[in-house]
Each structure stands twice: as structure tokens, then as C-alpha cells.
Coordinates of all heavy atoms in Angstrom, one line a residue:
M17 N 32.1 7.5 5.8 CA 30.9 7.4 6.5 C 29.7 7.6 5.6 O 29.7 8.6 4.8 CB 30.8 8.4 7.6 CG 29.5 8.4 8.4 SD 29.2 9.9 9.3 CE 29.6 9.6 10.9
Q18 N 28.7 6.7 5.6 CA 27.6 6.9 4.7 C 26.5 7.7 5.4 O 26.3 7.7 6.6 CB 27.0 5.5 4.4 CG 27.6 4.8 3.3 CD 26.8 3.6 2.9 OE1 26.4 2.8 3.8 NE2 26.6 3.3 1.6
T19 N 25.8 8.5 4.6 CA 24.7 9.3 5.1 C 23.5 8.5 4.9 O 23.2 8.0 3.8 CB 24.7 10.6 4.3 OG1 25.9 11.3 4.4 CG2 23.6 11.5 4.8
R20 N 22.7 8.5 5.9 CA 21.4 7.8 5.9 C 20.3 8.8 5.4 O 20.3 9.9 5.9 CB 21.0 7.2 7.2 CG 21.9 6.1 7.6 CD 21.4 5.5 8.9 NE 22.3 4.4 9.3 CZ 21.9 3.5 10.1 NH1 20.7 3.5 10.7 NH2 22.8 2.5 10.5
V21 N 19.5 8.4 4.5 CA 18.4 9.2 4.0 C 17.1 8.5 4.4 O 16.9 7.4 4.1 CB 18.5 9.4 2.5 CG1 17.3 10.2 2.0 CG2 19.8 10.0 2.1
K22 N 16.2 9.3 5.1 CA 14.9 8.7 5.4 C 13.9 9.0 4.2 O 13.9 10.1 3.7 CB 14.4 9.4 6.7 CG 15.1 9.0 7.9 CD 14.5 9.5 9.1 CE 15.2 9.1 10.4 NZ 14.6 9.5 11.6
V23 N 13.2 8.0 3.8 CA 12.3 8.1 2.7 C 10.9 7.8 3.3 O 10.6 6.7 3.8 CB 12.6 7.1 1.6 CG1 11.6 7.2 0.5 CG2 14.0 7.4 1.1
P24 N 10.0 8.8 3.3 CA 8.6 8.5 3.8 C 7.9 7.6 2.9 O 7.9 7.7 1.7 CB 8.0 9.9 3.8 CG 8.8 10.7 2.9 CD 10.1 10.1 2.8
L25 N 7.3 6.5 3.4 CA 6.6 5.5 2.6 C 5.1 5.5 3.0 O 4.5 4.5 2.7 CB 7.2 4.1 2.9 CG 8.7 4.0 2.4 CD1 9.2 2.6 2.8 CD2 8.8 4.2 0.9
D26 N 4.6 6.6 3.5 CA 3.2 6.6 3.8 C 2.2 7.1 2.7 O 1.0 7.0 2.9 CB 2.9 7.3 5.1 CG 3.4 8.8 5.1 OD1 4.1 9.1 4.1 OD2 3.1 9.5 6.0
S27 N 2.8 7.6 1.6 CA 1.9 8.1 0.6 C 2.2 7.4 -0.8 O 3.1 6.7 -0.9 CB 2.1 9.6 0.4 OG 3.5 9.9 0.1
D28 N 1.3 7.7 -1.7 CA 1.4 7.2 -3.1 C 1.2 5.7 -3.2 O 1.8 5.0 -4.0 CB 2.8 7.5 -3.7 CG 3.0 9.0 -3.8 OD1 2.0 9.7 -4.1 OD2 4.2 9.5 -3.6
W29 N 0.3 5.1 -2.4 CA 0.0 3.7 -2.5 C -1.2 3.6 -3.3 O -2.0 4.5 -3.5 CB -0.3 3.2 -1.1 CG 0.9 3.0 -0.2 CD1 1.5 4.0 0.5 CD2 1.7 1.8 -0.1 NE1 2.6 3.5 1.2 CE2 2.7 2.1 0.8 CE3 1.6 0.6 -0.6 CZ2 3.7 1.2 1.2 CZ3 2.5 -0.4 -0.2 CH2 3.5 -0.1 0.7
K30 N -1.4 2.4 -3.9 CA -2.6 2.0 -4.7 C -3.2 0.8 -3.9 O -2.5 0.0 -3.4 CB -2.3 1.6 -6.1 CG -1.7 2.6 -7.0 CD -2.8 3.6 -7.4 CE -2.2 4.5 -8.5 NZ -3.2 5.2 -9.2
Y31 N -4.6 0.8 -3.9 CA -5.3 -0.2 -3.1 C -6.4 -0.8 -4.0 O -7.1 0.0 -4.7 CB -5.9 0.4 -1.9 CG -7.0 -0.4 -1.2 CD1 -6.6 -1.6 -0.5 CD2 -8.3 -0.1 -1.4 CE1 -7.6 -2.4 0.0 CE2 -9.3 -0.9 -0.8 CZ -8.9 -2.0 -0.1 OH -9.9 -2.8 0.4
V32 N -6.6 -2.1 -4.0 CA -7.8 -2.7 -4.5 C -8.4 -3.6 -3.5 O -7.7 -4.3 -2.7 CB -7.5 -3.5 -5.9 CG1 -7.1 -2.5 -7.0 CG2 -6.4 -4.5 -5.7
R33 N -9.7 -3.7 -3.5 CA -10.4 -4.6 -2.5 C -10.6 -5.9 -3.2 O -11.7 -6.3 -3.6 CB -11.8 -3.9 -2.2 CG -12.5 -4.6 -1.1 CD -13.8 -4.0 -0.8 NE -13.7 -3.0 0.1 CZ -14.7 -2.4 0.8 NH1 -15.9 -2.8 0.6 NH2 -14.5 -1.5 1.7
E34 N -9.5 -6.7 -3.3 CA -9.5 -8.0 -3.8 C -8.1 -8.6 -3.7 O -7.2 -7.9 -3.3 CB -9.9 -8.0 -5.3 CG -8.9 -7.2 -6.2 CD -9.4 -7.0 -7.6 OE1 -10.6 -6.9 -7.8 OE2 -8.5 -6.9 -8.5
K35 N -8.0 -9.9 -4.0 CA -6.7 -10.5 -4.0 C -6.1 -10.2 -5.4 O -6.6 -10.6 -6.4 CB -6.8 -12.0 -3.8 CG -5.5 -12.7 -3.8 CD -5.6 -14.2 -3.5 CE -4.2 -14.9 -3.4 NZ -4.4 -16.3 -3.1
A36 N -5.0 -9.4 -5.3 CA -4.5 -8.9 -6.6 C -3.7 -9.9 -7.3 O -3.0 -10.8 -6.7 CB -3.6 -7.7 -6.3
S37 N -3.7 -9.8 -8.6 CA -2.9 -10.7 -9.5 C -1.4 -10.2 -9.4 O -1.2 -9.0 -9.1 CB -3.4 -10.7 -10.9 OG -3.2 -9.4 -11.5
R38 N -0.5 -11.0 -9.8 CA 0.9 -10.6 -9.9 C 1.0 -9.5 -10.9 O 1.8 -8.6 -10.7 CB 1.7 -11.8 -10.3 CG 3.2 -11.5 -10.4 CD 4.0 -12.8 -10.7 NE 3.9 -13.7 -9.6 CZ 4.9 -14.1 -8.9 NH1 6.1 -13.6 -9.1 NH2 4.8 -14.9 -7.9
G39 N 0.2 -9.5 -12.0 CA 0.3 -8.5 -13.0 C -0.1 -7.1 -12.4 O 0.6 -6.1 -12.7
W40 N -1.1 -7.1 -11.5 CA -1.5 -5.8 -10.9 C -0.4 -5.3 -10.0 O -0.1 -4.1 -9.9 CB -2.8 -6.0 -10.1 CG -3.2 -4.7 -9.5 CD1 -3.9 -3.6 -10.1 CD2 -2.9 -4.2 -8.1 NE1 -4.0 -2.6 -9.2 CE2 -3.5 -2.9 -8.0 CE3 -2.3 -4.8 -7.1 CZ2 -3.4 -2.2 -6.8 CZ3 -2.2 -4.1 -5.9 CH2 -2.8 -2.8 -5.8
L41 N 0.3 -6.2 -9.2 CA 1.3 -5.8 -8.3 C 2.5 -5.2 -8.9 O 3.1 -4.3 -8.3 CB 1.7 -7.0 -7.5 CG 0.7 -7.6 -6.5 CD1 1.3 -8.9 -5.9 CD2 0.4 -6.6 -5.4
F42 N 2.8 -5.5 -10.2 CA 4.0 -5.0 -10.9 C 3.7 -4.1 -12.0 O 4.5 -3.9 -12.8 CB 4.8 -6.2 -11.3 CG 5.4 -7.0 -10.2 CD1 4.8 -8.2 -9.8 CD2 6.4 -6.5 -9.4 CE1 5.3 -8.9 -8.7 CE2 6.9 -7.2 -8.3 CZ 6.4 -8.4 -8.0
G43 N 2.5 -3.5 -12.1 CA 2.2 -2.6 -13.2 C 0.8 -2.1 -13.3 O -0.1 -2.5 -12.5
G44 N 0.5 -1.3 -14.2 CA -0.8 -0.7 -14.4 C -1.1 0.4 -13.5 O -0.4 0.7 -12.5
N45 N -2.2 1.2 -13.8 CA -2.5 2.3 -13.0 C -3.8 2.1 -12.2 O -4.3 3.0 -11.6 CB -2.7 3.6 -13.9 CG -1.4 4.1 -14.3 OD1 -0.4 4.0 -13.5 ND2 -1.3 4.8 -15.4
S46 N -4.5 1.0 -12.3 CA -5.7 0.8 -11.6 C -5.5 0.7 -10.1 O -4.4 0.4 -9.6 CB -6.4 -0.5 -12.1 OG -5.7 -1.6 -11.7
G47 N -6.5 1.0 -9.4 CA -6.4 1.0 -7.9 C -6.8 2.4 -7.4 O -6.6 3.4 -8.0
E48 N -7.3 2.4 -6.2 CA -7.6 3.6 -5.5 C -6.4 4.2 -4.8 O -5.6 3.5 -4.1 CB -8.7 3.3 -4.4 CG -9.0 4.4 -3.5 CD -9.9 4.0 -2.4 OE1 -10.4 2.9 -2.4 OE2 -10.2 4.9 -1.5
P49 N -6.1 5.5 -5.1 CA -4.9 6.0 -4.4 C -5.2 6.2 -2.9 O -6.3 6.7 -2.5 CB -4.7 7.4 -5.1 CG -5.9 7.7 -5.8 CD -6.7 6.4 -6.0
V50 N -4.3 5.8 -2.0 CA -4.5 5.9 -0.6 C -3.2 6.3 0.1 O -2.1 6.1 -0.5 CB -5.0 4.5 0.0 CG1 -6.4 4.2 -0.5 CG2 -4.1 3.4 -0.2
E51 N -3.3 6.7 1.3 CA -2.1 7.0 2.1 C -2.3 6.1 3.4 O -3.3 5.7 3.7 CB -2.1 8.5 2.6 CG -1.8 9.4 1.4 CD -1.6 10.8 1.9 OE1 -1.6 11.1 3.1 OE2 -1.5 11.7 1.0
L52 N -1.1 5.8 3.9 CA -1.1 4.9 5.1 C -1.0 5.7 6.4 O -0.4 6.8 6.4 CB 0.1 3.9 5.1 CG 0.1 3.0 3.9 CD1 1.3 2.1 3.9 CD2 -1.2 2.2 3.7
P53 N -1.7 5.4 7.4 CA -2.5 4.2 7.6 C -3.8 4.3 6.8 O -4.3 5.4 6.6 CB -2.7 4.1 9.1 CG -2.6 5.4 9.6 CD -1.6 6.1 8.7
H54 N -4.3 3.2 6.4 CA -5.6 3.1 5.6 C -6.5 2.1 6.2 O -6.1 1.0 6.6 CB -5.2 2.8 4.1 CG -6.4 2.6 3.3 ND1 -6.7 1.3 2.8 CD2 -7.3 3.4 2.8 CE1 -7.8 1.4 2.0 NE2 -8.2 2.7 2.0
C55 N -7.8 2.4 6.1 CA -8.8 1.4 6.6 C -9.8 1.2 5.5 O -10.5 2.1 5.1 CB -9.5 2.0 7.8 SG -10.8 0.9 8.4
W56 N -9.9 0.0 5.0 CA -10.8 -0.3 3.9 C -12.3 -0.4 4.4 O -13.2 -0.5 3.6 CB -10.4 -1.5 3.0 CG -10.4 -2.8 3.7 CD1 -11.4 -3.4 4.5 CD2 -9.4 -3.8 3.6 NE1 -11.1 -4.6 4.9 CE2 -9.9 -4.9 4.4 CE3 -8.2 -3.9 3.0 CZ2 -9.1 -6.1 4.5 CZ3 -7.5 -5.0 3.1 CH2 -7.9 -6.1 3.8
N57 N -12.5 -0.4 5.7 CA -13.9 -0.5 6.2 C -14.3 0.8 6.8 O -15.3 0.8 7.6 CB -13.9 -1.6 7.3 CG -13.8 -3.0 6.7 OD1 -12.7 -3.4 6.5 ND2 -15.0 -3.6 6.5
D58 N -13.8 1.9 6.4 CA -14.1 3.2 7.0 C -15.5 3.7 6.7 O -16.1 4.5 7.3 CB -13.1 4.3 6.6 CG -13.0 4.6 5.2 OD1 -13.5 3.8 4.4 OD2 -12.5 5.6 4.8
T59 N -16.1 3.1 5.6 CA -17.5 3.6 5.2 C -18.6 2.5 5.5 O -19.8 2.9 5.5 CB -17.6 3.9 3.7 OG1 -17.2 2.7 3.0 CG2 -16.6 5.0 3.4
D60 N -18.2 1.3 5.9 CA -19.2 0.3 6.1 C -19.2 -0.4 7.5 O -20.1 -1.1 7.9 CB -19.2 -0.8 5.0 CG -17.9 -1.5 5.0 OD1 -17.0 -1.3 5.8 OD2 -17.8 -2.4 4.1
A61 N -18.2 -0.1 8.3 CA -18.1 -0.8 9.6 C -19.0 0.0 10.6 O -19.1 1.2 10.5 CB -16.6 -0.8 10.1
F62 N -19.5 -0.7 11.6 CA -20.2 -0.2 12.7 C -21.5 0.6 12.2 O -21.9 1.6 12.8 CB -19.4 0.7 13.6 CG -18.1 0.1 14.0 CD1 -16.9 0.4 13.6 CD2 -18.2 -1.0 15.0 CE1 -15.7 -0.3 14.0 CE2 -17.1 -1.6 15.4 CZ -15.8 -1.3 14.9
Q63 N -22.1 0.1 11.2 CA -23.4 0.7 10.7 C -24.5 -0.4 10.9 O -24.3 -1.5 10.5 CB -23.3 1.2 9.3 CG -22.4 2.3 9.1 CD -22.4 2.8 7.6 OE1 -23.4 2.6 6.9 NE2 -21.3 3.4 7.2
D64 N -25.6 0.0 11.5 CA -26.7 -0.9 11.7 C -27.2 -1.4 10.3 O -27.4 -0.7 9.4 CB -27.9 -0.3 12.4 CG -27.5 0.0 13.9 OD1 -26.7 -0.7 14.4 OD2 -28.1 0.9 14.4
G65 N -27.3 -2.7 10.2 CA -27.9 -3.3 9.0 C -26.9 -3.4 7.8 O -27.3 -3.9 6.7
V66 N -25.7 -3.0 8.0 CA -24.7 -3.1 6.9 C -23.6 -4.2 7.3 O -23.1 -4.1 8.3 CB -24.0 -1.7 6.7 CG1 -22.9 -1.8 5.7 CG2 -25.0 -0.6 6.3
D67 N -23.5 -5.1 6.4 CA -22.5 -6.1 6.6 C -21.2 -5.6 6.0 O -21.0 -5.5 4.8 CB -22.9 -7.4 5.8 CG -22.1 -8.6 6.2 OD1 -21.5 -8.6 7.3 OD2 -22.0 -9.6 5.4
Y68 N -20.2 -5.4 6.9 CA -18.9 -4.8 6.5 C -18.1 -5.8 5.7 O -18.2 -7.0 5.9 CB -18.2 -4.2 7.7 CG -17.7 -5.3 8.7 CD1 -16.4 -5.8 8.6 CD2 -18.5 -5.7 9.8 CE1 -16.0 -6.8 9.5 CE2 -18.1 -6.6 10.7 CZ -16.8 -7.1 10.5 OH -16.4 -8.1 11.4
Y69 N -17.2 -5.3 4.9 CA -16.4 -6.1 4.1 C -15.3 -6.9 4.9 O -14.6 -6.3 5.7 CB -15.6 -5.3 3.0 CG -14.7 -6.1 2.1 CD1 -15.2 -6.9 1.1 CD2 -13.3 -6.0 2.3 CE1 -14.3 -7.6 0.3 CE2 -12.5 -6.7 1.5 CZ -13.0 -7.5 0.5 OH -12.1 -8.3 -0.3
R70 N -15.3 -8.2 4.6 CA -14.2 -9.1 5.2 C -13.7 -9.9 4.0 O -14.4 -10.6 3.4 CB -14.8 -10.0 6.2 CG -15.3 -9.3 7.5 CD -16.0 -10.3 8.3 NE -17.3 -10.6 7.7 CZ -18.5 -10.4 8.2 NH1 -18.6 -9.8 9.3 NH2 -19.5 -10.7 7.5
G71 N -12.4 -9.6 3.7 CA -11.8 -10.3 2.6 C -10.5 -9.8 2.2 O -9.8 -9.1 3.1
W72 N -10.1 -10.0 1.0 CA -8.7 -9.6 0.6 C -8.7 -8.1 0.3 O -9.6 -7.5 -0.1 CB -8.4 -10.3 -0.7 CG -8.1 -11.8 -0.6 CD1 -9.0 -12.8 -0.7 CD2 -6.9 -12.4 -0.2 NE1 -8.3 -14.0 -0.5 CE2 -7.0 -13.8 -0.1 CE3 -5.6 -11.9 0.1 CZ2 -6.0 -14.6 0.2 CZ3 -4.6 -12.7 0.4 CH2 -4.8 -14.1 0.5
G73 N -7.5 -7.6 0.6 CA -7.2 -6.2 0.2 C -5.7 -6.2 -0.2 O -4.9 -6.9 0.4
S74 N -5.4 -5.5 -1.3 CA -4.0 -5.5 -1.8 C -3.5 -4.1 -2.0 O -4.3 -3.2 -2.4 CB -4.0 -6.2 -3.2 OG -4.4 -7.5 -3.1
Y75 N -2.3 -3.9 -1.6 CA -1.6 -2.6 -1.7 C -0.4 -2.7 -2.5 O 0.3 -3.7 -2.5 CB -1.2 -2.1 -0.3 CG -2.4 -1.8 0.6 CD1 -2.9 -2.8 1.4 CD2 -2.9 -0.5 0.7 CE1 -4.0 -2.6 2.2 CE2 -4.0 -0.3 1.6 CZ -4.5 -1.3 2.3 OH -5.5 -1.0 3.2
R76 N 0.0 -1.6 -3.2 CA 1.3 -1.6 -3.9 C 1.8 -0.1 -3.9 O 1.1 0.8 -3.8 CB 1.2 -2.1 -5.3 CG 0.5 -1.2 -6.2 CD 0.7 -1.6 -7.7 NE 0.2 -0.6 -8.5 CZ -0.6 -0.8 -9.5 NH1 -0.9 -2.0 -9.9 NH2 -1.1 0.2 -10.2
R77 N 3.1 0.0 -4.0 CA 3.8 1.3 -4.1 C 5.1 1.0 -4.7 O 5.8 0.1 -4.4 CB 4.0 1.9 -2.7 CG 4.6 3.3 -2.8 CD 4.9 3.8 -1.4 NE 5.2 5.2 -1.4 CZ 6.4 5.8 -1.8 NH1 7.4 5.0 -2.1 NH2 6.5 7.1 -1.7
A78 N 5.5 1.9 -5.7 CA 6.8 1.8 -6.3 C 7.8 2.8 -5.7 O 7.4 3.9 -5.4 CB 6.6 2.0 -7.8
F79 N 9.0 2.3 -5.6 CA 10.1 3.3 -5.2 C 11.4 2.7 -5.6 O 11.5 1.5 -5.9 CB 10.1 3.5 -3.7 CG 10.2 2.3 -2.8 CD1 11.5 1.9 -2.4 CD2 9.1 1.5 -2.5 CE1 11.7 0.7 -1.6 CE2 9.3 0.4 -1.7 CZ 10.5 0.0 -1.3
C80 N 12.4 3.5 -5.7 CA 13.7 3.0 -6.2 C 14.7 3.1 -5.0 O 14.7 4.1 -4.2 CB 14.2 3.9 -7.3 SG 13.3 3.8 -8.8
L81 N 15.6 2.2 -4.9 CA 16.7 2.2 -4.0 C 17.9 2.4 -4.7 O 18.3 1.7 -5.7 CB 16.8 0.8 -3.2 CG 15.6 0.5 -2.3 CD1 15.8 -0.9 -1.8 CD2 15.4 1.5 -1.2
K82 N 18.7 3.4 -4.3 CA 20.0 3.7 -4.9 C 21.0 2.8 -4.3 O 21.1 2.6 -3.1 CB 20.4 5.1 -4.7 CG 21.6 5.5 -5.4 CD 21.9 7.0 -5.1 CE 23.2 7.4 -5.8 NZ 23.6 8.8 -5.5
E83 N 21.8 2.2 -5.2 CA 22.9 1.3 -4.8 C 23.9 2.1 -4.0 O 24.3 3.1 -4.5 CB 23.5 0.6 -5.9 CG 24.5 -0.5 -5.6 CD 25.0 -1.2 -6.8 OE1 24.2 -1.4 -7.7 OE2 26.2 -1.6 -6.7
P84 N 24.3 1.6 -2.8 CA 25.3 2.4 -2.1 C 26.6 2.4 -2.8 O 27.0 1.5 -3.5 CB 25.4 1.6 -0.7 CG 24.8 0.3 -1.0 CD 23.9 0.4 -2.1
S85 N 27.3 3.6 -2.7 CA 28.6 3.7 -3.3 C 29.6 2.9 -2.5 O 29.5 2.7 -1.3 CB 29.0 5.1 -3.4 OG 29.0 5.7 -2.1
A86 N 30.7 2.5 -3.2 CA 31.7 1.7 -2.6 C 32.6 2.6 -1.7 O 32.8 3.8 -2.0 CB 32.6 1.1 -3.7
P87 N 33.0 2.1 -0.6 CA 33.8 2.9 0.3 C 35.1 3.3 -0.3 O 35.7 2.5 -1.1 CB 34.0 2.1 1.6 CG 33.6 0.7 1.2 CD 32.8 0.8 0.0
S88 N 35.6 4.5 -0.1 CA 36.8 4.9 -0.7 C 38.0 4.4 0.1 O 37.9 4.2 1.3 CB 36.9 6.5 -0.8 OG 36.8 7.0 0.5
G89 N 39.1 4.2 -0.6 CA 40.3 3.7 0.1 C 40.3 2.3 0.3 O 40.9 1.5 0.8

């Protein structure tokens, strides 16, 4: 019987307010650290005279998956 392990995936994300390149998605340290759920319009939405951001947003997070062990017998 395999033991299931829950891994929280709501923290340690990086965010950029643009359409990210493939290079950004797979490396580098740039980006704003965020936790999920995240709202990129939290500072500009619903303000009189402020045009809130509408466009691309990119997120990334690295994690490792351990290969399951082979069943015994």
C-alpha cells in the first residue's frame, strides 16, 4: 500500500505582470514572490480615475516529484 503525501502548493510562487518567456518559466530569480490565491489588481481596481491592469500575468513555482517505488513481491 502506498502512502499519499499532501504537498501544499499555495506558497513560493513567482509572478510577473507580462507574458513570460520560456526562459523565465524555467529559471532565474526575477519576479515578485506571491502566495495563492493572488490578485494582480489589488492596488488599482475599483479606484476612481485609475485604469486597472488588463493583460498577461505569469506565475511559476518549482517542486520535485519523487518517483514512486516499485511494489514489492
Side-chain angles (χ1 to χ4, degrees):
M17 178 201 259
Q18 274 189 318
T19 304
R20 292 184 183 200
V21 177
K22 291 185 178 183
V23 178
L25 295 176
D26 58 348
S27 60
D28 299 324
W29 287 85
K30 295 283 187 166
Y31 163 76
V32 291
R33 187 181 272 196
E34 61 189 33
K35 184 176 182 180
S37 68
R38 182 177 292 247
W40 181 83
L41 291 172
F42 294 101
N45 282 331
S46 66
E48 175 186 351
V50 297
E51 292 188 7
L52 300 182
H54 174 250
C55 177
W56 65 47
N57 288 83
D58 63 345
T59 59
D60 60 3
F62 306 109
Q63 294 183 25
D64 290 335
V66 176
D67 192 22
Y68 66 93
Y69 178 73
R70 291 172 292 244
W72 288 96
S74 301
Y75 295 86
R76 73 168 187 228
R77 184 183 193 280
F79 59 93
C80 294
L81 294 176
K82 185 178 177 182
E83 187 174 327
S85 57
S88 60

